[in-house]
Each structure stands twice: as C-alpha cells, then as structure tokens.
Amino acid sequence: MAQYELLLPKMGESVAEATIIKWTKQPGDHINLDDTILEIATDKVDSEVPSPVEGKLVKQLFAADDVVQVGAVIAIIELADGVEVEINASVPEQAQELKPEPVAETIPGIAQLPTTDRAPQANVDFKSSDRFYSPLVKNIAKEEGLSIEELDSIKGSGADGRLTKEDLLNHIQAKKGGSTSRIGDTLAQARSVVETPVQEKAAQPAPIAASVSGGDEIMEMDRMRKLIADHMVMSKQTSPHVTSFVEADVTNLVLWRNKVKKTFEQRENEKITFTPIFVEAVAKAIKDFPMINVSVNGTQIIKKKDINIGMAAALPSGNLIVPVIKNADQLNIVGLTKAVNDLANRARISKLKPDETQNGTFTLTNVGSFGNVMGTPIINQPQVAILAVGAIKKKPAVLETEHGDVIAIRHMMFLSLSYDHRVVDGSLGGSFVRRVADYLENWDINREIS
C-alpha cells in the first residue's frame, strides 16, 4: 500500500519550529480524514495537527517533548484502499522543499558553512538527557562529535542554566587549546560582522529555597506558565522599566457606548466592549508618536512600519496569552470590534493560530476587567511599551465651566504606561499616554457607527 509522509505544517511566517505535546493517535490506529493526530505547541499557542488523508498510522518519527522544525516529516500513514493522493500536495503551505540547513544559516549575518571536507556528524542521543538544548546547539554538538555526557557537563549562562551557542563555542575553543573548530571558526568570524554586540549576562543569583510544611501543596508549573515566567524575568532583566500614569475623564465615551451598544449588536451581530475603543485610541497615538512603536536590537533602534497591537487575555487555566491585531490603525471601530471579539473568543478555547500571537509592536492590557484601577505591567519583549487600562469608576470630579468650577459625578479611569527607559524617556512616554487619554476624553458622543 502507498504511504503518506505527514509534515509538520507551516503555522505562520515567523514560526519555525514547534514542540510535540502528545500524540492522540498511536501506531496501528485507523485515521479518518481531519482526525487529530497530535498536539503541538509554539512559544504560546497550542495547536492540533489534523490528518489530510485516511489510513492507518504506521510510525511516529518524533516523541512527546521533541522540538521539530516546520516541514519535517513527523509521521508515516499507510493510505486506505482506494485512496490516492499526491504526496504532501494536500497539506497547504507546508515547507515541502525544506532540507537540513548548515548551522550558520540559522544565525542572521552568518555566511553558509563550507560543505567540503566536513567530518561526519556524531549520533548524539539527546533523549537520554533531561536538559533542554536548542536545535542550533544540537547541530553544533553533532558536528563537533560531542557526547551527551560532555554536553551535560558544560555550564550554561542562559535562563535556568540553559546552554547557549556562546557557551558551547567557548567550551570547544578551550578544549582545543584556543584553536577553534571549523564551525567555531566560522561562527567566531561571523560575530565580527553581526552588528548587534554580544552583551555579557550578569551572573544569576541562586534561587532561594522555599520552606515547605506538611500541609502545603506542591504544584509543578505547566509548559505555558514556565514560558511566561521565563519571558517576564527576561523582560525585567532586559529593559529598565519606568511607568507613567494619567487619569482620564471618559464620561462621553461611556455615554456613547451605552447609547449605541444595542443598535451595534443588532446591526453587526457583535457586542461592542471598551477594548476596541482603547485599541483605536492607542493606534492614533502611535501615529502621533511613532518612536513608541519600536524595538531594540543591541545599539540599534528598529522603527516599525506596521502598528500591530497585542491585547493581553487571561485564559481559563489562569495563564496569559497575547493575540495580536495586525495593522490596527487600518481598521474602523466595527473592524476592531470584530477582531477583538474573534481573537478573545478563540483564545479562551485554545483555537488561536501560532501566527496570531506573533509580530506585535505594542501591547494593551485591561486590568480593569478584574476590578483593578491601575497596574504596572511588564513590557512584552521585544516591544518597548505596554499600556494598562484600569476600571472605569464613577467619581466626583472638578469641572471648569464658564460660570466657575463645579463638582460633578464623572466616569474616570487611570491609564498606566510602562516603557523601556533605554530608548523611551519620560517626555515621550508621558506625552504618549497623555495623548491616548486625550483621544478617549474627547470622544464624540454623536459619533456614527462605522
């Protein structure tokens, strides 16, 4: 019978690999068209891989927790009788022509390694180690013929002691008495042409052991919580955080939404929340202050052309995910509402596509949804700013009128902007959050739905 090679499908422009969470089908199981064969995970999103054919699962080529490159063959399916398919043609947008690439091609600015006179790769059993190794580190170890025991003995400078490329190359250079290997030579030379300088990482303090009593419950972090923890710690170590606060009178905005929400839902079959309104105000303010829409690469500032706004969403599990509204400045209030509702709904049921959490240039988090009046959020790297919007509360406020000052009940809220003080100073950060508040305060109560 004919056999079908199932590839790890392409999951977005910026997604190059995924981790296998678990296999839902085992060798020998019958598979119907579109049956889920396995579950995979990228940095933040869990996805299912359906079968594009009907048949029997013959072989799994990777195990749970393996990191697999997009386009790699992950399983062999024996096609059912009478089923004909052009191999891999039924899997849209898969990287069918991908082949193992030289290590240097995975590093920006590094030329391809010479393919001649290369030693055969060692067959290193990485599965025998509990330590995580990136695909690049694995490839270098194979090229250099390092055993898994030697690899495990190298001290890593990355998060949680993770072994980095620099750690491995330094070990190889020291081992060979200062004479680097072929890969070591090529990569070392490449460091001089890569414009981003390698920054020395500060020594990480040893974690403080927590005391545990008899009645305490010990719970292991799930995969997503570990990723969030690493990302948050990395962000605080990378960016000096500063937070600016503004209080805004959003009475007109609240009255407008109350006036149009019933008509909006009837016409668009969507409920309008405050979130798309906040996103619109942020997008307008970014156009006014484009240097808030940047990222940092060493000593380079990368000014982003697109305005892609991420919105932090809490999952039922208690974890956090940030789906991204691409080109938010090009959407009207109806388009933003549909985008916000769609992404939020699919986030809650774990149906986001990996690419829908990528390439954000600015993040918005609504701490008011938990009844909080303000917050000091952590920057979502590699962005340089994140805005927290607090709960809208009725409060007495002083209004200036032509007849003098009066005290009135108004709808008030706090906005708090955390920003990276390496590239965003108080003038820019404070002016930006003030401009967002201005757009919200000056909302036209007679605005038509569009």
Side-chain angles (χ1 to χ4, degrees), residues 81-392:
D81 291 337
V83 175
E84 294 184 2
V85 62
E86 183 180 348
I87 297 302
N88 297 328
S90 63
V91 186
E93 297 187 57
Q94 287 191 343
Q96 298 174 22
E97 300 300 326
L98 287 186
K99 298 178 181 179
E101 297 180 343
V103 175
E105 289 193 0
T106 65
I107 309 173
I110 298 180
Q112 180 172 330
L113 289 175
T115 56
T116 59
D117 196 28
R118 179 180 293 178
Q121 290 191 352
N123 185 20
V124 186
D125 183 15
F126 293 102
K127 295 180 182 178
S128 64
S129 174
D130 294 331
R131 193 179 189 186
F132 173 83
Y133 295 106
S134 70
L136 179 57
V137 168
K138 289 180 180 180
N139 285 337
I140 297 175
K142 288 179 181 178
E143 289 281 352
E144 296 297 325
L146 302 184
S147 67
I148 191 63
E149 291 77 15
E150 182 177 359
L151 210 58
D152 285 342
S153 69
I154 304 173
K155 185 177 180 180
S157 63
D160 299 325
R162 182 173 296 177
L163 187 67
T164 67
K165 168 186 60 103
E166 293 294 328
D167 299 329
L168 182 54
L169 292 178
N170 290 337
H171 171 81
I172 293 170
Q173 186 173 359
K175 177 182 177 182
K176 298 190 176 185
S179 176
T180 59
S181 64
R182 286 180 299 276
I183 289 182
D185 277 332
T186 305
L187 293 177
Q189 293 167 7
R191 293 189 195 111
S192 64
V193 300
V194 177
E195 293 184 327
T196 304
V198 178
Q199 298 177 351
E200 294 294 330
K201 293 187 177 181
Q204 300 299 315
I208 300 175
S211 60
V212 180
S213 65
D216 294 339
E217 179 182 3
I218 300 175
M219 297 175 290
E220 183 66 24
M221 290 183 184
D222 61 23
R223 182 192 61 82
M224 183 175 284
R225 178 49 55 185
K226 290 177 182 177
L227 288 169
I228 292 171
D230 289 343
H231 193 61
M232 294 298 98
V233 171
M234 179 272 290
S235 181
K236 293 293 284 187
Q237 292 174 340
T238 300
S239 299
H241 283 55
V242 176
T243 305
S244 294
F245 301 87
V246 166
E247 188 174 23
D249 182 343
V250 293
T251 304
N252 286 351
L253 174 57
V254 173
L255 295 178
W256 177 84
R257 176 179 171 271
N258 290 340
K259 182 176 70 171
V260 305
K261 63 181 180 181
K262 185 176 181 180
T263 303
F264 190 97
E265 184 173 2
Q266 290 173 345
R267 194 185 91 175
E268 303 294 338
N269 198 30
E270 296 277 359
K271 291 185 177 180
I272 182 170
T273 63
F274 289 109
T275 300
I277 300 171
F278 296 148
V279 171
E280 182 186 87
V282 168
K284 287 182 177 180
I286 288 175
K287 281 184 168 293
D288 296 337
F289 297 96
M291 289 306 294
I292 209 80
N293 198 51
V294 304
S295 61
V296 180
N297 182 29
T299 58
Q300 299 173 328
I301 300 174
I302 302 172
K303 187 177 178 182
K304 299 295 185 178
K305 178 186 70 174
D306 297 328
I307 297 177
N308 300 333
I309 298 180
M311 54 176 200
L315 300 176
S317 63
N319 289 324
L320 180 73
I321 197 165
V322 186
V324 177
I325 303 171
K326 305 290 177 63
N327 299 308
D329 58 313
Q330 299 177 19
L331 298 176
N332 60 16
I333 201 68
V334 174
L336 288 172
T337 299
K338 291 180 182 292
V340 166
N341 292 350
D342 174 56
L343 291 172
N345 290 335
R346 288 193 288 116
R348 282 190 285 268
I349 58 175
S350 300
K351 293 297 182 182
L352 287 175
K353 300 174 184 176
D355 201 44
E356 291 174 327
T357 63
Q358 306 290 329
N359 300 322
T361 62
F362 186 95
T363 297
L364 170 72
T365 180
N366 188 349
V367 299
S369 60
F370 312 112
N372 302 150
V373 295
M374 67 175 67
T376 54
I378 297 176
I379 298 166
N380 186 14
Q381 298 292 333
Q383 300 164 26
V384 299
I386 178 172
L387 178 71
V389 292
I392 299 174

Side-chain angles (χ1 to χ4, degrees), residues 30-37 50-55 83 85 90:
H30 177 77
I31 299 171
N32 293 315
L33 183 66
D34 292 331
D35 277 357
T36 298
I37 298 179
S51 175
V53 296
E54 180 181 352
V83 175
V85 62
S90 63

